[in-house]
Amino acid sequence: MGSFPIETLSMEQQQQQKQIDLEEAGRTERAKWLINSPDPPSLCQEVVSAIKGSLFPRRRRQSSSSTRRTNGTVISILQAVFPILNWGRNYKASKFKDDLLAGLTLASLSIPQSIGYANIAKLDPQYGLYTSVVPPLIYAVMGSSRDLAIGPVAVVSMLLASTVPNMVDPVADPVAYRNQVFTVTFFAGTFQAIFGLFRLGFLVDFLSHAAIVGFMAGAAIVIGLQQLKGLFGMSHFTTKTDVVSVLESVFKSVHKEWYPLNFVLGCLFLIFLLVARFIGRRNKKLFWLPAIAPLLSVILATLIVFLTKADKHGVKIVKHIKGGLNPSSVHQLQFKGPHVAEAAKVGLISAIVALTEAIAVGRSFASIKGYHLDGNKEMVAMGCMNLAGSLTSCYVATGSFSRTAVNFSAGCQTVVSNIVMAITVVLALELFTRLLYYTPVAILASIILSALPGLIDINEAYHIWKVDKLDFLACVGAFLGVLFKSVEIGLLVAVAISFAKVLLNAIRPAIAQLGRLPRTDIFCEIDQYPMAIKTQGILTLRLNSGLLCFANANFLRERIMRCVTEEEDEAEETAKDGVQVLILDMSNVMNIDTSGIVALEELQSKLVSLGIKLAMVNLRRQVIHKLKLANFIEKIGAEWIFLSLAEAVDAFLAAKLESTNNC
């Protein structure tokens, strides 16, 4: 009887030992899965795969018949390039009624706006109308958005007005200036098409959302100040776009030449336009009021000037607008001479700005209606329409937020509304341009001024400030750069700040200390979850960086050693055992370079000198492959590589328990 409890205890110990051995065998086997995982593809294979994926995206398998497969492939390619072939088969008369109304409403807004935007771009009025004909027709065939309204926009017009005069003076040689604008448009279309064909849409993302908000606000203020020329009826005005130069020009000219009738007429109709805009926003059923208000203003103001002979009393008028269809501009493109490189640079900037605005607007309305907008297809469509536009006397066109909002509110169903708008503009060019002779310039200025508040989003800027201070810095940088220097400087400042933010996060990544949540095998950051428990003798750290490389390797090594030192000091103060094992959670580290490996080797050497073991958890494919090639796994021992933090901690506790029992 006396020996029975001893036998029972021995059996329990044996069962516990078997359980420990099984768990250890399982951990060892899982560690082998990680260590012996297949090697990642080589650099050459990755490059070839990326090119194939960009140029030859996978398509669904067709019929087994070669003829059907070929036909299906051709049809699918045509439908991909021309989405109208896909949705056009199901187009119904009921949709056309909605598109007809939306297109006519859109044209009533587009005609006066296009004339005004051409004025901003320092071009004759008809070129704004031309830009509302060919590009919308091309986009209607190739674009994937149902709501996007295509035409000239204020920001791109100002961009051209601030950059192209550096090559050719629009006053001294307006023909050469116009030809240079067409050349810039050709380059913009080329870059946009290339971005789409080679799936380089990430280039557009260099302009972050915060940068766009600041850029648009700064551009809106500069454009608004430039409209003071038309509002005051000035003839002499600066060609610069920064706010200091514009205000200085206003103050100098206002003493010499300004005509009160221009100002009164412009302000009266500006109030009318703003009131119509306010009513349209308050009552959605009256969406048509702010849409037709600009055209109504042009008609009424033109009649007033014609009947009262106000042009004889200082009111500036548009005068002759050349009518007729778009003339060819093929032979006007300038591919020789000293300004080709500059034109290409301006074309690239214009392409990115135009794409950014169009895709942002298109995706906003696509999300409301619940359909997908393909960014690469949009780039190809934008590129083709601007290439065609450059050959037909158009300048850079893109999607307009204000006109798209009107198009959406008018109930458009498809891009047929763009076709209706283009046809209406053609009719206006053919029949009504003579009637616009007495249109006052002040009315065009008031129409542009009434559209600018939509570009200034104070609430969004405040939201950016609350959420991310560095993003807000990019927003302010773009805003001040555009406002006090130029569009190019504003964009450059915004991109530089955004890049600095990315580099700062990459060079100085955070290191988080982890603890186990009570009654779980889940490890979380102790700073975020104060209830997480630290295991005595174990320091668990996670590297919050996607890349362990030359830029951050030394910084991370020093931070890790500082954490080890602080943990040792804390242990001495509380009379506890110091750090015996350092566990690095590498789950966030996607890749590593030779500098990162050297930093790990130096870290391991320092830890060995302190009597601390190094364990690593959840190594990614690229990382484990390179560490094996560098023989780092052999240095620390394959038994110190684990799939999860729980397994690493349990392995250490089991080893510690075993050593205690042996003692």
Side-chain angles (χ1 to χ4, degrees), residues 598-616:
V598 170
L600 288 178
E601 290 174 344
E602 293 175 355
L603 174 65
Q604 200 261 346
S605 298
K606 288 186 178 181
L607 292 175
V608 168
S609 66
L610 297 172
I612 300 173
K613 286 286 186 180
L614 174 64
M616 303 182 79

Side-chain angles (χ1 to χ4, degrees), residues 4 36 52 56 61-62 111 122 129 149 157 295 303 367 400 403 439 447 462 467 486 492 502 517 537 584 589-590 637:
F4 181 75
N36 299 324
K52 283 184 177 180
F56 309 104
R61 292 182 179 178
Q62 303 293 332
I111 291 171
K122 303 186 188 307
L129 295 174
S157 300
L295 185 60
L303 282 174
S367 63
S400 164
R403 291 196 292 276
T439 300
I447 289 171
Y462 177 66
V467 174
S486 67
L492 185 62
V502 173
L517 292 180
L584 289 182
V589 182
M590 298 293 111

Side-chain angles (χ1 to χ4, degrees), residues 280-328:
R281 285 189 171 183
R282 293 293 296 270
N283 190 343
K284 298 299 181 183
K285 294 181 179 180
L286 297 176
F287 69 88
W288 50 268
L289 183 58
I292 68 167
L295 185 60
L296 190 61
S297 298
V298 168
I299 295 171
L300 290 176
T302 303
L303 282 174
I304 290 172
V305 172
F306 176 73
L307 294 174
T308 61
K309 307 293 184 183
D311 57 308
K312 305 295 184 182
H313 302 282
V315 173
K316 300 286 184 178
I317 58 175
V318 174
K319 296 183 179 179
H320 179 66
I321 298 179
K322 185 179 178 181
L325 296 177
N326 295 39
S328 173

Side-chain angles (χ1 to χ4, degrees), residues 21 23-39 616 618-621 624-625 628 633 637-644 647:
D21 291 342
E23 291 178 358
E24 183 64 29
R27 282 195 292 266
T28 303
E29 183 181 10
R30 288 190 289 273
K32 287 181 179 179
W33 295 347
L34 177 61
I35 294 173
N36 299 324
S37 58
D39 293 341
M616 303 182 79
N618 200 4
L619 294 165
R620 297 299 178 129
R621 191 180 182 187
I624 190 70
H625 175 65
K628 285 193 296 182
I633 300 298
E639 67 274 11
W640 292 98
I641 304 296
F642 300 92
L643 273 176
S644 69
E647 286 190 350

